[in-house]
Amino acid sequence: MNASPPVETLRAPLAVEFPFTRSLGPVQSAFLTGLRHRTVLGVRTADREVLVPPVEYDPRTADEIRDLVEVAATGTVTTWAWNPSPRRFQPLDTPFAWVLVRLDGADTALLHALDAPGPDHVRTGMRVRIRWAEERTGAITDIACFEPDEGDRPQQGGQDAQVAPHEGRFDDMVTLLTVPARLDYTYTPGRAPTDYLTALADHRTVGERCPACRKVYVPPRGACPTCGVATAEQVEVGPRGTVTTFCIVNIKAKNLDIEVPYVYAHIALDGADLALHGRIAGIPYDQVRMGLRVEPVWSEGGRYPDHYRPTDEPDADYDVYKELI
């Protein structure tokens, strides 16, 4: 009996990225605009606590708060953790400490990076000061990092002595903030997805049948999501299928060279008991409909279908695919 050839271990770098833009209220707008002007603002509660970074509602009473005050650019480390291997997009590209710093005049601590030669140079209670970024845009990154401060501790006299009232008004107020959200990782599929992807490169679509409920799942995951039992029996499905439901995309995605609007659909391949995702092309977007019969189109050298296009078949009856919506 001949041994099966070893299966290639598939790996691919993947990035999940979803930057979004949010509008700022008067407090956050003043805080971020202030950073652009090298000014750190906090907000004072009815109990005279100064919160930095500022919030719009008292965390204890939920009352709206708008009493802005300016605090110092120096402060004290309340706690810290050493970061020996900085990652991309972190404040510094050399080892640094994450620190919580209570700025002089504030009652809460601000999280940021401390530029220090090593963990032996960081301690709770050490004095630090802000190092401002050379180019400031009205974001938390306008604080490049903190650095050790050998100056004197603030004069005694209570926190009120360290703050000054501020109207929160600047030229060209920052009113919108784009927040990046990104996760980079390396994806390694298991046996069932590897078989599925390998077959796609050969212009075939294979699923796996559950030995208990007999449903065929595409793409396969190696186990039935309903019965919870392992699946191993491969079943070739398609290549044609039926659009069960769809959406019209009107916002162009970053790094995706597809003109909007376009249609993204759930497609139930013939012989499958689970609909998969696919883009519909070769038909005006406003003519795509539930029940439309489609077939895959591979680009030259592609390992998976580039899109699905209509066939010349009549639309499928609703009763045929209603359980797959």
Side-chain angles (χ1 to χ4, degrees), residues 28-97:
Q28 297 297 323
S29 177
F31 173 68
L32 293 179
T33 307
L35 295 183
R36 190 170 62 193
H37 293 268
R38 298 190 179 189
T39 299
V40 184
L41 297 181
V43 67
R44 182 154 38 197
T45 70
D47 294 332
R48 302 198 66 77
E49 280 192 317
V50 175
L51 311 182
V52 179
V55 294
E56 296 180 350
Y57 297 93
D58 191 315
R60 290 196 181 122
T61 66
D63 291 337
E64 188 175 22
I65 43 181
R66 294 289 185 270
D67 186 11
L68 293 170
V69 294
E70 181 178 353
V71 300
T74 55
T76 303
V77 173
T78 63
T79 189
W80 61 277
W82 187 252
N83 180 13
S85 302
R87 298 185 178 184
R88 187 170 57 156
F89 303 126
Q90 289 189 335
L92 299 172
D93 57 9
T94 56
F96 64 90

Side-chain angles (χ1 to χ4, degrees), residues 253-274:
K254 182 181 179 181
N255 299 329
L256 188 60
D257 189 21
I258 300 175
E259 294 300 322
V260 296
Y262 63 89
V263 175
Y264 207 66
H266 277 171
I267 302 167
L269 297 181
D270 297 344
D273 294 290
L274 183 70

Side-chain angles (χ1 to χ4, degrees), residues 204-222:
R204 297 183 302 113
T205 304
V206 297
E208 289 188 351
R209 190 192 308 275
C210 173
C213 66
R214 308 302 294 170
K215 289 184 177 180
V216 176
Y217 292 99
V218 181
R221 291 293 181 263

Side-chain angles (χ1 to χ4, degrees), residues 134-274:
E134 293 184 5
E135 295 184 7
R136 297 178 301 282
T137 60
I140 192 62
T141 50
D142 290 352
I143 299 177
C145 63
F146 283 92
E147 58 188 14
D149 182 22
E150 302 301 331
D152 296 333
R153 288 183 174 274
Q155 296 179 356
Q156 299 298 318
Q159 293 291 73
D160 284 351
Q162 307 298 322
V163 302
H166 199 287
E167 293 184 351
R169 296 178 184 174
F170 301 92
D171 294 333
D172 301 324
M173 296 290 292
V174 178
T175 58
L176 296 175
L177 177 66
T178 299
V179 180
R182 181 185 175 100
L183 174 65
D184 292 273
Y185 64 100
T186 299
Y187 173 67
T188 301
R191 176 201 56 81
T194 293
D195 291 344
Y196 170 75
L197 294 171
T198 302
L200 277 183
D202 195 31
H203 293 196
R204 297 183 302 113
T205 304
V206 297
E208 289 188 351
R209 190 192 308 275
C210 173
C213 66
R214 308 302 294 170
K215 289 184 177 180
V216 176
Y217 292 99
V218 181
R221 291 293 181 263
C224 175
T226 302
C227 305
V229 298
T231 58
E233 179 189 352
Q234 287 191 349
V235 179
E236 186 167 346
V237 299
R240 294 184 172 187
T242 301
V243 172
T244 63
T245 187
F246 64 92
C247 68
I248 299 174
V249 180
N250 289 288
I251 300 176
K252 187 173 179 61
K254 182 181 179 181
N255 299 329
L256 188 60
D257 189 21
I258 300 175
E259 294 300 322
V260 296
Y262 63 89
V263 175
Y264 207 66
H266 277 171
I267 302 167
L269 297 181
D270 297 344
D273 294 290
L274 183 70

